[in-house]
Amino acid sequence: MNLVVVSNRVARGKPNEPMTGGLAAALLPVVEHSGAIWVGSSGRVRDGHQKEPFAEIEALGTGAIATLDLPAAHYGGYYEGFANSALWPALHSRSDLIRVSREDYVSYREVNAFMARALMRFRKTKTAFWVQDYHFLALGAELRELGVDDPIGFFLHTPWPVAAVMQGVPNHRELITAMLAYDLLGFQTHEDCQNFLGYAGGELGLAVEDGVVLSQHGRTRCEVFPIGIDAEKFAAYAAKSASHPDVSRLRRSLNGERLAIGVDRLDYSKGLVNRISAFDRLWTEQPQFARSISLLQIANPSRGAIEAYGNLQNEVARLVTDVNGRHGEVDWTPIRYLNKGFSQAVLAGLYRTAQIGVVTPLHDGMNLVAKEYVAAQNPADPGVLVLSKFAGAANELDTALLVNPHDIDGMTRAIAVAAAMPLTERKMRWDAMMKKLRGHTIQQWSADFVAELEKCRTEKAAVAPLATQPPQALRWLRSAISGVRLI
């Protein structure tokens, strides 16, 4: 079977270049070793006058990547608008931050249609399409309209909230109905999957049985596939990274103090303000930890054109300055705050240098940083992971110190416990987590999903759709919106 993987962004796998995010890092080994074609945005835009979408293709391991210039007229409304100012806040249960217009939704659907047309050139005999994440919720429906009857699966890397939150997204019914054109919908956790099924049954009034939704598209199976990492590869990175200049300089600068590390995109879902506040409280209420624990916080800015992100960047910078001003000394900086990305090879070395990993998002689909931190540790002297119980990773890494990221005092206590934890307990906790990581790798995740996708399509072909509707009904946008120039 020929596999075509689709996401908004792609990664090229150069070990000395920063990764663009957890999704890109996760998909990289899948494409390198499976022979798949990975299609995504080039990061550039162009006008809509070209006859068909233009793709640049290059080899990536046994597979290849193809990048497209997305349409300039719709990119802003698609990416900064509907995807990241409506869907992202809703998916992370922050409906108060939804800021979106009707035109943004039009652009979102147009870019999904554009991508569907681009994918047709990669369709061969026995092709399966595997679509990734919230940028392309409607892509399956667009492919179906173009006559694609091949298996099409979708995996959501973020959480899926309760129905009441999704109802705050404009056009939510049309959008989620379009999602049911997929044969298989994959989620990170059982809670996410049940929330989606609850919406389909409650809001859409569809029949739901044993994880299968019956709709005008036929059968859509909903299942849980917790995403993993290549733990052995990451451990090898960590072991080799000691001589890297960034890692060796960090180690020399510590002067015997313990280091905690946080690595996040600068996003309101990551709980950065609460995390910094917990360290502030630690140094204030337990001054014995001053000069004995410091925090390295790497926070790579993103989506700066969106107001909520600009506000957060300013808030975190002010808070770090305030905390350092009150607790710092001429020869000691409590928080080292960096607004830039690092390659996976360097990150692995930074993780191993830190005795405490702090991964405390307010809400996260999985959070691969938690898994990377564990995999990077020295087996003879592993660090301690402090992990939000609202990250999907907490379902697997249950021997971490699990915390409520809204409880500042609780996080402060957990950091203190981590700093004082004896070696025997650290090794016991780490061994249990590594066993989970080795048993649920990124390779197993992709193999499980693709195998289930093939099975679902076979089942779907054996069952007649509930209703036959003309293809144009799937493109309600074309008839519902007048006066909009379509590319």
Side-chain angles (χ1 to χ4, degrees), residues 252-273:
R252 287 195 303 269
S253 72
L254 291 174
N255 297 318
E257 70 187 273
R258 291 184 174 274
L259 180 70
I261 188 170
V263 178
D264 310 84
R265 277 191 313 101
L266 192 53
D267 190 284
Y268 49 77
S269 68
K270 302 302 182 181
L272 293 176
V273 170

Side-chain angles (χ1 to χ4, degrees), residues 430-451:
W430 179 81
D431 285 338
M433 290 188 284
M434 276 301 290
K435 184 177 181 180
K436 296 282 184 68
L437 296 186
R438 292 186 178 114
H440 298 89
T441 65
I442 184 68
Q443 293 84 1
Q444 190 62 52
W445 168 78
S446 61
D448 288 347
F449 188 97
V450 173

Side-chain angles (χ1 to χ4, degrees), residues 110-186:
E110 282 300 322
V111 171
N112 275 242
F114 178 92
M115 182 62 75
R117 295 197 299 275
L119 292 175
M120 295 304 288
R121 76 179 63 188
F122 303 108
R123 186 188 181 201
K124 302 177 182 178
T125 304
K126 295 184 178 179
T127 295
F129 295 92
W130 187 6
V131 180
Q132 309 289 325
D133 227 7
Y134 63 100
H135 307 88
F136 295 121
L137 297 183
L139 182 52
E142 300 291 351
L143 286 169
R144 295 295 184 215
E145 187 188 344
L146 294 175
V148 174
D149 58 359
D150 303 295
I152 310 176
F154 175 86
F155 184 79
L156 183 69
H157 292 257
T158 71
W160 186 275
V162 297
V165 173
M166 281 308 298
Q167 288 164 3
V169 176
N171 305 100
H172 59 95
R173 290 178 62 89
E174 295 94 336
L175 190 59
I176 297 171
T177 297
M179 287 179 67
L180 296 172
Y182 289 109
D183 296 298
L184 176 63
L185 296 175

Side-chain angles (χ1 to χ4, degrees), residues 165-482:
V165 173
M166 281 308 298
Q167 288 164 3
V169 176
N171 305 100
H172 59 95
R173 290 178 62 89
E174 295 94 336
L175 190 59
I176 297 171
T177 297
M179 287 179 67
L180 296 172
Y182 289 109
D183 296 298
L184 176 63
L185 296 175
F187 299 89
Q188 298 275 27
T189 70
H190 288 284
E191 181 181 5
D192 298 330
C193 188
Q194 289 304 310
N195 284 344
F196 182 87
L197 292 172
Y199 179 99
E203 177 67 17
L204 298 181
L206 298 173
V208 177
E209 183 176 355
D210 295 331
V212 175
V213 182
L214 303 179
S215 74
Q216 66 193 45
H217 301 286
R219 296 164 55 89
T220 299
R221 180 168 292 280
C222 302
E223 290 200 15
V224 178
F225 301 89
I227 193 169
I229 64 170
D230 188 334
E232 299 302 337
K233 181 178 180 180
F234 217 85
Y237 276 152
K240 294 176 181 177
S241 64
S243 60
H244 190 280
D246 286 337
V247 177
S248 57
R249 283 199 304 270
L250 174 63
R251 189 178 293 112
R252 287 195 303 269
S253 72
L254 291 174
N255 297 318
E257 70 187 273
R258 291 184 174 274
L259 180 70
I261 188 170
V263 178
D264 310 84
R265 277 191 313 101
L266 192 53
D267 190 284
Y268 49 77
S269 68
K270 302 302 182 181
L272 293 176
V273 170
N274 289 6
R275 182 184 307 166
I276 293 168
S277 298
F279 278 90
D280 181 21
R281 192 161 299 180
L282 177 74
W283 294 315
T284 299
E285 297 182 353
Q286 302 185 56
Q288 70 271 22
F289 286 113
R291 303 183 72 95
S292 68
I293 296 179
S294 61
L295 170 65
L296 170 60
Q297 178 60 60
I298 298 170
N300 199 15
S302 67
R303 305 169 190 165
I306 300 174
E307 181 181 3
Y309 288 83
N311 292 340
L312 176 66
Q313 185 168 2
N314 293 334
E315 181 181 8
V316 173
R318 285 195 300 267
L319 182 59
V320 169
T321 299
D322 176 56
V323 172
N324 281 341
R326 287 186 289 106
H327 297 292
E329 303 290 348
V330 293
D331 59 344
W332 182 63
T333 302
I335 301 176
R336 308 175 193 212
Y337 182 55
L338 303 179
N339 290 135
K340 62 181 182 179
F342 291 87
S343 69
Q344 283 196 303
V346 174
L347 278 177
L350 300 179
Y351 289 142
R352 180 169 284 209
T353 302
Q355 289 77 24
I356 305 170
V358 281
V359 182
T360 55
L362 306 180
H363 205 177
D364 223 337
M366 178 54 65
N367 198 296
L368 296 182
V369 167
K371 297 187 174 186
E372 292 170 353
Y373 176 80
V374 172
Q377 294 309 294
N378 180 353
D381 187 21
V384 181
L385 176 63
V386 177
L387 177 61
S388 166
K389 62 183 181 181
F390 301 130
N395 294 321
E396 298 170 81
L397 305 182
D398 52 2
T399 56
L401 293 180
L402 300 182
V403 297
N404 175 357
H406 301 283
D407 179 2
I408 306 299
D409 288 328
M411 283 198 291
T412 300
R413 289 192 297 270
I415 294 165
V417 168
M421 187 176 293
L423 177 61
T424 302
E425 182 177 356
R426 285 189 278 123
K427 291 181 70 173
M428 178 200 70
R429 290 174 179 270
W430 179 81
D431 285 338
M433 290 188 284
M434 276 301 290
K435 184 177 181 180
K436 296 282 184 68
L437 296 186
R438 292 186 178 114
H440 298 89
T441 65
I442 184 68
Q443 293 84 1
Q444 190 62 52
W445 168 78
S446 61
D448 288 347
F449 188 97
V450 173
E452 189 62 29
L453 178 57
E454 291 184 278
K455 177 182 173 183
C456 287
R457 190 57 181 167
T458 301
E459 292 175 350
K460 193 168 188 174
V463 179
L466 294 184
T468 302
Q469 296 190 6
Q472 197 67 13
L474 298 181
R475 293 297 300 277
W476 65 271
L477 193 62
R478 295 295 183 264
S479 59
I481 300 172
S482 61

